[in-house]
């Protein structure tokens, strides 16, 4: 990702917020203009099209999420605690009445470029691989059942968290996500 200045980051902040709360196709550069108080030509200077905006937004989101996952891994030595704290990141998003940005963009694939789609796929692979590693660690620590496939369980785990986020958001009940994930994590424990 190229180095961006403060204005470009502010544009991305607003676009990310709109994407997570309304959807990528539900806002325009005019909406960003209104929010920032700058001309749409200034937005086009940094992001000539919405597809460029989606790619920059996705690259930044994926990078930030990877950093968050590394921080969790560094802070928590237990595989179970790592998974629980990664889940808290998703819960915090739902509590803000938002949705995972990559999950939201995945529902609007026809509106983004192939490079953005590749970044979305990469995001889900990163998260699945991270969860798989945390499960494997938990198995080595005898905290997670040893008779489950870490890879298959991680794939299912990410699917559950994204789906439960969607339902929690639709219901306006973050508690739904909390309940589903507590149950899912509970089923992993040895």
């Amino acid at each position: 990702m190229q180095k961006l200045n403060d204005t470009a980051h502010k544009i991305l902040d607003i676009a990310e917020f709109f994407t997570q709360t309304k959807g990528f196709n539900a806002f325009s550069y005019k909406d960003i203009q209104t929010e920032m108080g700058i001309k749409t030509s200034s937005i086009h200077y940094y992001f000539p099209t919405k597809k460029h905006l989606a790619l920059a937004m996705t690259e930044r989101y994926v990078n930030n999420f990877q950093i968050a996952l590394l921080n969790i891994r560094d802070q928590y030595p237990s595989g179970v605690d790592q998974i629980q704290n990664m889940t808290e990141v998703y819960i915090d998003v739902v509590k803000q009445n938002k949705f995972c940005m990559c999950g939201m963009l995945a529902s609007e694939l026809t509106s983004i470029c192939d490079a953005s789609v590749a970044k979305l796929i990469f995001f889900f692979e990163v998260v699945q691989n991270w969860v798989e590693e945390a499960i494997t660690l938990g198995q080595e620590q005898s905290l997670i059942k040893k008779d489950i496939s870490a890879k298959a369980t991680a794939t299912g785990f990410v699917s559950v968290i994204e789906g439960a986020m969607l339902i929690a958001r639709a219901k306006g009940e973050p508690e739904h996500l909390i309940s589903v994930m507590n149950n899912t994590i509970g089923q992993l424990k040895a």
Side-chain angles (χ1 to χ4, degrees), residues 7-173:
T7 302
H9 277 291
K10 181 68 174 160
I11 293 166
L12 290 174
D13 290 343
I14 293 167
E16 185 176 313
F17 177 79
F18 285 157
T19 299
Q20 289 185 280
T21 57
K22 303 193 295 186
F24 186 67
N25 289 321
F27 72 92
S28 68
Y29 278 19
K30 182 90 170 136
D31 296 312
I32 296 171
Q33 171 192 353
T34 301
E35 187 74 22
M36 279 190 74
I38 63 172
K39 294 180 180 182
T40 56
S41 60
S42 297
I43 300 167
H44 283 285
Y45 172 79
Y46 295 103
F47 309 105
T49 68
K50 244 182 128 181
K51 289 186 179 191
H52 290 98
L53 178 67
L55 180 58
M57 194 171 56
T58 305
E59 287 175 340
R60 187 179 77 154
Y61 188 86
V62 170
N63 185 54
N64 289 342
F65 205 86
Q66 286 179 293
I67 291 167
L69 292 177
L70 289 173
N71 289 337
I72 290 169
R73 177 157 294 138
D74 290 345
Q75 272 187 291
Y76 300 96
S78 153
V80 172
D81 288 345
Q82 289 176 11
I83 293 168
Q84 183 63 52
N85 282 278
M86 186 274 287
T87 301
E88 292 297 326
V89 172
Y90 283 86
I91 291 168
D92 288 343
V93 169
V94 170
K95 284 181 177 178
Q96 297 171 49
N97 200 28
K98 297 192 297 188
F99 191 73
C100 169
M101 196 197 70
C102 288
M104 191 68 94
L105 283 175
S107 71
E108 301 180 275
L109 287 180
T110 58
S111 300
I112 61 176
C113 66
D114 291 344
S116 292
V117 172
K119 278 289 180 193
L120 293 179
I121 293 167
F122 177 73
F123 170 79
F124 291 116
E125 288 172 349
V126 163
V127 176
Q128 287 173 1
N129 290 337
W130 188 92
V131 172
E132 180 182 351
E133 290 171 12
I135 290 170
T136 300
L137 176 62
Q139 289 173 321
E140 291 167 358
Q141 297 168 329
S142 297
L143 299 172
I144 293 179
K145 295 174 186 171
K146 293 185 182 202
D147 63 343
I148 60 171
S149 162
K151 184 174 187 65
T153 303
T155 300
F157 187 91
V158 173
S159 297
V160 167
I161 201 166
E162 290 284 340
M165 278 186 90
L166 199 57
I167 294 168
R169 187 164 184 255
K171 290 178 155 187
E173 296 175 4

